[in-house]
Amino acid sequence: MFAIDDHWVLRRYRDGGDVTAEAAVMVYLEEHGYPVPRLRDSAGAGHSTAPRTDLVMQRLHGPSMLQALLQGMITAEEAGAGLANLLHRLHSVPARVSADPVNRILHLDLHPDNVMLTPGRPVVIDWRNAEEGPPGLDWGMSALILAQVAVGNTALAALARAVLASLLTHLGPAITLGNTDSGCLAEARKRRAADPSMNESETHLLDGAMELILELTPARPLTTS
């Protein structure tokens, strides 16, 4: 990430990856009122077939949600509720490509360090992993990222557990995570285990993280026909 001036930054991946799909998703979400960084050259972002290696984006001012947590500017409960609100809002936007009415745009890496608390509203950054699928997968990924920190031996463990507990209280009846064997949470674990950016010690935390999520997920009321 390179600062251009006080209003714009340049994002260029070290591996030279194509950002065309990422740009198209961001433009689409902005058109639907979802809080993403504005792209300076957004015209035609979703239509060009030529590879695109740079994103010139709005420069955001304010701390990340993680920084705000560590500085005591917001509570863990507020952070969890904020993440939940951003997930619910994201999944209220119709899918951009898929014709399946179940599918929505998924961020798949929505955690406190990918939310910027700008004046007036939070803004979600880093859409490189975005794809379309069932909302439960997005919730499962966010929960699992937090849970891995919560079961790890770091100074952030207790804070991550509190944020996770708050997030899961806002899950909503329409979101089904599943369990360790099947469903969206199992798929999230599979994806995290295959993530090349995680080291062996982080991968070993997955089983405990899964157990913690199931422990903290509020029980659903029984329904009768």
Side-chain angles (χ1 to χ4, degrees), residues 84-173:
N85 180 57
L86 289 167
L87 284 167
H88 282 306
R89 288 179 61 189
L90 176 59
H91 302 148
S92 70
V93 177
R96 187 177 68 90
V97 177
S98 175
D100 187 335
V102 173
N103 288 342
R104 293 291 188 270
I105 294 174
L106 312 180
H107 185 280
L108 298 178
D109 197 24
L110 186 50
H111 54 75
D113 213 23
N114 275 339
V115 179
M116 301 297 295
L117 301 183
T118 69
R121 66 173 187 169
V123 177
V124 179
I125 63 172
D126 195 358
W127 291 89
R128 191 178 198 185
N129 294 334
E131 59 181 72
E132 295 183 2
L137 179 56
D138 223 0
W139 282 83
M141 291 293 284
S142 290
L144 199 51
I145 291 167
L146 289 168
Q148 282 181 271
V149 179
V151 299
N153 186 25
T154 72
L156 294 177
L159 186 62
R161 182 187 176 104
V163 175
L164 174 64
S166 175
L167 172 71
L168 292 173
T169 63
H170 298 278
L171 192 60

